[in-house]
Amino acid sequence: MSLRGSYDLAAADFSVVQDWAAYSSDEHALFRRLYQRQAKLVPLYACSEWIEAIARLDAGGGIPKFDQVSAKLRAATGWEIVAVPGLIPDEAFFTHLAGRRFPVTVWLRKPEEFDYIVEPDVFHDFFGHVPLLFDPVYADHLHAYGKGGLKAMRLDAVKLLARLYWYTIEFGLIKTPGGVRAYGAGLISSGGELAYCVSDLAPKRLDFDLERALRTDYQIDRYQTTYFVIDSFAQLMRDTAPDFTPIYERLRGLATLAP
Ligand code: PHE
Ligand code: CO
């Protein structure tokens, strides 16, 4: 499947058809290899909500059929997934989340990108993001985030809100009885950073602080130097529930923090 960057085939909402039959057996095999590598790590480093959810997806056999995944998700939390050609514009992205649709990239990375890929592919989007959509609180929080994104566009505050996404949905850590674990998709789908974020002594692990996350820059091309740790998805929901309008106003006058 070479839909990488095929935006000309996309609908107005940037969705495309997942032509499942077009994936090659090599692509399914590469997906399985990525899956198997992570399968050894997630029992040690991923949060229990993610571990419980992946079992419902039965996705170790190859690139999943999005329609089948959507049917399970709809029944569980009212979410579905939509195929997209890659990163999509903010407004389309937020509109999908606000409609409880998670955009999943259709194409898979090349074998030489096994360890590292700069943009999201189907493995990152599916393995990293989709399982937690089965968790009711997480699912409602991401829905609220989507609506908050559309509001942030009107307030010219997407840059601030995107940092929250980065430090939670992509690179968030959560406290558990067994210690800190990963719930962020960028961590759960990473061969190297998943163990690093939990076990390495180098990075900072700060208790989640909404305003600090909104103010903190991030680096997209290396392991994070700062992680934010939530107590629970309920805390994430609660701390992000207030109207951000005055927070955006206040933060605009303050310096951005280095990670
Ligand atoms: N409460 C935020 C607002 O009023 C919206 C939001 C919800 C943002 C959840 C992120 C996560 O803008
Ligand atoms: Co992602």
Side-chain angles (χ1 to χ4, degrees):
M1 155 123 4
S2 57
L3 265 174
R4 194 163 186 161
S6 292
Y7 289 85
D8 44 327
L9 297 175
D13 68 354
F14 288 87
S15 65
V16 293
V17 172
Q18 185 199 27
D19 184 3
W20 192 83
Y23 293 116
S24 68
S25 56
D26 283 349
E27 287 176 313
H28 286 297
L30 177 58
F31 186 96
R32 280 197 299 276
R33 280 206 293 134
L34 287 160
Y35 190 102
Q36 284 156 11
R37 172 176 61 180
Q38 292 316 100
K40 297 191 187 84
L41 301 171
V42 284
L44 301 167
Y45 304 116
C47 67
S48 58
E49 292 88 344
W50 186 94
I51 291 170
E52 281 156 29
I54 193 74
R56 301 165 70 164
L57 280 167
D58 184 27
I63 300 167
K65 291 183 175 158
F66 291 0
D67 289 349
Q68 292 181 358
V69 173
S70 285
K72 290 182 186 177
L73 265 177
R74 261 194 305 272
T77 56
W79 274 77
E80 46 189 73
I81 60 178
V82 296
V84 290
L87 292 170
I88 61 174
D90 291 339
E91 183 168 14
F93 181 67
F94 294 139
T95 301
H96 280 304
L97 298 185
R100 293 176 95 87
R101 294 181 301 274
F102 193 83
V104 176
T105 302
V106 270
W107 51 266
L108 182 66
R109 69 191 70 186
K110 299 280 165 252
E112 56 273 22
E113 296 167 307
F114 191 78
D115 287 318
Y116 183 73
I117 180 162
V118 278
E119 30 173 359
D121 71 337
V122 61
F123 183 74
H124 164 79
D125 282 339
F126 183 80
F127 192 88
H129 287 284
V130 172
L132 283 176
L133 296 173
F134 283 94
D135 182 85
V137 180
Y138 181 97
D140 284 349
H141 167 259
L142 197 57
H143 179 213
Y145 181 91
K147 290 190 286 186
L150 293 170
K151 175 171 154 186
M153 287 186 73
R154 296 192 295 272
L155 297 171
D156 193 24
V158 171
K159 194 172 173 184
L160 292 169
L161 187 65
R163 295 191 188 121
L164 175 66
Y165 191 90
W166 185 267
Y167 284 115
T168 58
I169 304 302
E170 292 293 354
F171 291 95
L173 299 178
I174 186 168
K175 288 175 202 164
T176 79
V180 163
R181 295 279 185 122
Y183 72 92
L187 300 170
I188 286 183
S189 66
S190 166
E193 194 166 357
L194 182 49
Y196 175 89
C197 70
V198 169
S199 303
D200 201 277
L201 294 177
K204 282 181 272 193
R205 296 179 187 81
L206 308 176
D207 283 345
F208 180 71
D209 173 336
L210 174 69
E211 295 199 11
R212 182 149 178 185
L214 291 167
R215 285 181 69 187
T216 305
D217 249 336
Y218 57 84
Q219 292 161 319
I220 63 165
D221 58 353
R222 65 199 68 180
Y223 292 172
Q224 301 305 299
T225 49
T226 297
Y227 300 99
F228 286 92
V229 189
I230 59 171
D231 295 328
S232 63
F233 293 133
Q235 181 208 4
L236 186 56
M237 189 84 179
R238 208 167 46 240
D239 288 4
T240 56
D243 181 2
F244 282 14
T245 310
I247 301 175
Y248 292 147
E249 277 309 308
R250 186 164 65 251
L251 296 189
R252 251 188 259 282
L254 299 177
T256 299
L257 302 173

